[in-house]
Amino acid sequence: MLTIGLIGGLSWYSTLEYYRVINEEIQGRLGGHASAKIVLQSLDFAEVREYQQREDWPAAGRLLAEAGRRCQAGGADLILICSNLMHKNAEAVDAEIDVPLLHIADAVAQRARGFEKVGLLGARWIMEEEFYAGHLRSAGVDVVVPDADGRELVDRVIFEELTQGKVLESSRTAYAGIIAQLVEQGAEAVVLACTEIELLIGAADSPVPLLDSMQIHAEQAAILALGRA
């Protein structure tokens, strides 16, 4: 079994879910007392969030790259950034490590094949830039996002609530309304492109399938760790 390196703490709420899903997948496939071999570098999200708000992506990239090097030094055979947004720094991390970086958008794009068009929910940079959606489009999947008001709401809920451990029914209702709008735009599925959204939204809140990026990313890591790609 390969050792999985996790760059986490982005936020810790979703890192906890990565650890759970990876271990459940390993144990489910191997049985018995089997569990995953994991190296974790958990960052202080307050520091990362400050870089995000200043849009100082070079500084954030250096921070994540150092975490990636520490994961590799700890024995990691493959590395995950436990965040959709921080894949803005995927190239900076990849350049500093000698083991594969499993890109979350590639894992999601692989799962999204078969849908012609998907909705995309995440931090505003995810919804407004191409560093993430481009991976889906390269796989032949068209992407639609909420309007400006919807993007503001989705982003606000992520950073003012979910990454601080707050799960509000009013926000669940609001997200369900935005998902309905994406479906009206032709979305056949919706990508939860923030690793905390799955804490808020589930299948019962959507008339179309939800592609949970955290779940997909973690499951793919476990499969690769077992050499079953």
Side-chain angles (χ1 to χ4, degrees), residues 20-109:
R20 176 185 61 79
V21 172
I22 290 170
N23 277 290
E24 286 181 349
E25 189 73 16
I26 294 291
Q27 189 172 44
R29 289 171 178 270
L30 298 183
H33 295 100
S35 59
K37 296 180 179 178
I38 292 176
V39 176
L40 170 62
Q41 285 292 317
S42 189
L43 301 176
D44 177 5
F45 189 53
E47 182 179 4
V48 176
R49 181 60 181 152
E50 184 176 336
Y51 291 143
Q52 291 174 349
Q53 291 174 308
R54 296 204 313 254
E55 300 198 62
D56 189 349
W57 302 111
R62 290 190 293 271
L63 185 69
L64 267 67
E66 177 58 31
R69 289 193 294 269
R70 291 196 298 267
C71 282
Q72 183 175 339
D77 300 299
L78 69 156
I79 292 175
L80 283 67
I81 301 171
C82 299
S83 160
N84 288 271
L85 172 56
M86 297 316 295
H87 279 74
K88 276 183 70 71
N89 296 125
E91 291 182 2
V93 175
D94 197 33
E96 294 294 326
I97 58 177
D98 300 316
V99 297
L101 177 70
L102 179 57
H103 198 294
I104 194 169
D106 288 337
V108 170

Side-chain angles (χ1 to χ4, degrees), residues 124-217:
R124 63 180 177 86
W125 297 275
I126 291 279
M127 296 182 286
E128 295 176 357
E129 300 181 12
E130 277 296 300
F131 71 91
Y132 191 99
H135 288 256
L136 294 167
R137 293 192 174 100
S138 293
V141 182
D142 195 11
V143 175
V144 293
V145 299
D147 60 20
D149 289 341
R151 295 195 302 272
E152 189 281 329
L153 185 147
V154 170
D155 184 85
R156 178 182 57 77
V157 168
I158 289 170
F159 291 112
E160 294 184 9
E161 298 173 19
L162 298 179
T163 55
Q164 298 182 51
K166 303 173 185 176
V167 179
L168 304 181
E169 188 62 35
S170 58
S171 296
R172 179 178 290 110
T173 300
Y175 265 50
I178 290 171
I179 289 172
Q181 293 173 12
L182 294 174
V183 173
E184 289 177 2
Q185 296 178 58
E188 302 165 342
V190 173
V191 177
L192 306 184
C194 166
T195 53
E196 285 83 17
I197 294 179
E198 57 93 19
L199 303 174
L200 178 69
I201 292 292
D205 303 301
S206 174
V208 297
L210 298 176
L211 303 180
D212 179 353
S213 60
M214 183 282 301
Q215 185 86 22
I216 292 168
H217 202 201

